């Protein structure tokens, strides 16, 4: 039986390295899998953009837990994206590894990132601007937690660029699937009146609040627990704010699809991301079926973002 100082892990070797877009989707699905606490890519070269040769997925287990069931769940996730394992494709192996400070090891690869000409995103321990930063540069300090959104993923950066262009002093953002709060916080820092981050996962609440405090927007960026858009509008009323007049939604395609029709009924413009450019036409067709019209779009690293307007006049 393993000692309590050990952790379960699954090593996944890619004999045929996945494409960049396949790896982006697969890594996100692995991190969302039940019982997964983290993931390390090898080689761990800072700034590397290509998919890894192999990864180690970390979990949590007590002595006596049936870890083969956990490994089987991971095998199913990878098989869904890359096909069945094999010596010419990929292989997975379970192991017990000695406990260590995974968080401290991972921190060395999370550094200040330039997103736009004036916007930089980074962790609290690396928030010093580079020498070439322009006057009036903005630094968003994001503490990585269990909530999605550190500013390093292409979809987050695409949304940030669009929100920087769209945010006005009168803007009130409805941030659907707020996660860490990065889009809400950034929109307020861009000069918007307020932001209301709607999130159904209560584990995000603490991380959202911490990031608001780090960026000095606690009175203007608000966490709203739940799935009901009405909750965000009620929160705006209670906060003495105008109602939301701009939507941001950064989720995986299968997560945002059910929201397209209900959000269109709000008759507000929306920044939508979380889809691969290979899915662009399919997603745009879904948007049009839900009465959205495309105003603008952009892409980065095989991921896309839309700016949409409601295509139906309010009756």
């Amino acid at each position: 039986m393993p000692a309590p100082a050990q952790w379960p892990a699954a090593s996944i070797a890619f004999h045929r390295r996945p494409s960049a877009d396949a790896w982006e989707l697969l890594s996100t699905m692995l991190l969302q899998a039940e019982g997964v606490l983290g993931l390390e890519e090898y080689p761990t070269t800072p700034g590397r953009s290509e998919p890894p040769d192999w990864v180690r997925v970390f979990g949590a287990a007590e002595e006596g837990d049936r870890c083969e069931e956990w490994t089987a769940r991971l095998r199913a996730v990878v098989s869904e994206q890359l096909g069945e394992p094999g010596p010419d494709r990929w292989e997975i192996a379970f192991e017990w590894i000695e406990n260590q400070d995974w968080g401290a090891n991972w921190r060395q690869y999370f550094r200040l990132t330039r997103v736009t000409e004036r916007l930089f995103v980074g962790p609290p321990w690396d928030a010093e601007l580079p020498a070439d930063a322009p006057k009036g540069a903005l630094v968003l300090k994001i503490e990585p937690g269990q909530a999605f959104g550190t500013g390093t993923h292409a979809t987050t950066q695409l949304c940030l660029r669009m929100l920087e262009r769209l945010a006005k002093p009168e803007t009130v953002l409805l941030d659907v699937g707020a996660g860490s709060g990065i889009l809400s916080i950034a929109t307020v820092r861009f000069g918007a009146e307020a932001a209301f981050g709607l999130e159904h996962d209560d584990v995000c609440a603490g991380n959202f609040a911490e990031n608001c405090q780090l960026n000095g927007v606690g009175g203007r960026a608000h966490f709203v627990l739940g799935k009901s858009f009405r909750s965000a509008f009620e929160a705006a009323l209670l906060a003495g704010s105008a109602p939301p007049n701009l939507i941001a939604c950064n989720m995986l395609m299968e997560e945002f699809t059910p929201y397209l029709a209900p959000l269109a009924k709000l008759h507000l413009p929306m920044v939508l991301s979380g889809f691969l450019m290979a899915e662009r036409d399919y997603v745009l067709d879904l948007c049009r079926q839900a009465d959205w019209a495309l105003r603008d779009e952009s892409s980065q690293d095989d991921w896309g973002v839309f700016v949409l307007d409601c295509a139906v006049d309010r009756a």
Side-chain angles (χ1 to χ4, degrees), residues 49-88:
S49 59
E50 69 272 13
D53 294 319
W54 66 283
V55 297
R56 179 176 280 152
V57 184
F58 302 103
E62 301 294 335
E63 290 186 86
D65 279 358
R66 296 179 60 82
C67 292
E68 61 268 23
E69 295 179 359
W70 177 73
T71 309
R73 287 198 297 271
L74 296 182
R75 182 182 293 110
V77 170
V78 184
S79 297
E80 182 180 348
Q81 298 301 315
L82 304 182
E84 292 301 312
D88 61 336

Side-chain angles (χ1 to χ4, degrees), residues 126-248:
D126 184 30
E128 184 177 349
L129 285 168
D132 64 345
K135 185 178 180 180
L138 295 178
V139 177
L140 293 188
K141 300 176 184 178
I142 300 297
E143 176 65 43
Q146 296 184 55
F148 175 79
T150 60
T152 59
H153 196 274
T155 61
T156 306
Q157 295 187 8
L158 286 165
C159 287
L160 288 170
R161 294 189 190 106
M162 288 298 186
L163 289 168
E164 183 179 38
R165 292 163 52 186
L166 295 171
K168 303 291 188 294
E170 64 274 14
T171 297
V172 178
L173 182 71
L174 169 57
D175 181 7
V176 181
S180 68
I182 185 170
L183 299 185
S184 294
I185 294 167
T187 303
V188 171
R189 293 290 306 276
F190 291 147
E193 177 183 334
F196 294 86
L198 185 65
E199 175 59 62
H200 72 274
D201 190 349
D202 60 1
V203 77
C204 299
N207 190 221
F208 188 105
E210 181 179 13
N211 288 325
C212 285
Q213 184 178 15
L214 284 170
N215 292 279
V217 297
R220 295 164 63 197
H222 308 267
F223 183 86
V224 182
L225 181 62
K227 295 183 178 181
S228 169
F229 308 139
R230 177 180 174 181
S231 299
F233 282 79
E234 290 174 342
L237 183 64
L238 290 172
S241 165
N245 50 29
L246 175 64
I247 303 166

Side-chain angles (χ1 to χ4, degrees), residues 83-141:
E84 292 301 312
D88 61 336
R89 291 184 176 180
W90 62 274
E91 294 180 290
I92 186 171
F94 177 80
E95 59 181 327
W96 287 97
I97 57 176
E98 295 300 320
N99 193 7
Q100 55 181 290
D101 189 352
W102 307 112
N105 289 345
W106 178 79
R107 284 183 172 218
Q108 64 182 306
Y109 301 110
F110 184 22
R111 292 288 183 250
L112 190 71
T113 301
R114 190 172 199 157
V115 179
T116 72
E117 177 64 24
R118 65 167 179 151
L119 178 66
F120 297 79
V121 179
W125 61 86
D126 184 30
E128 184 177 349
L129 285 168
D132 64 345
K135 185 178 180 180
L138 295 178
V139 177
L140 293 188
K141 300 176 184 178

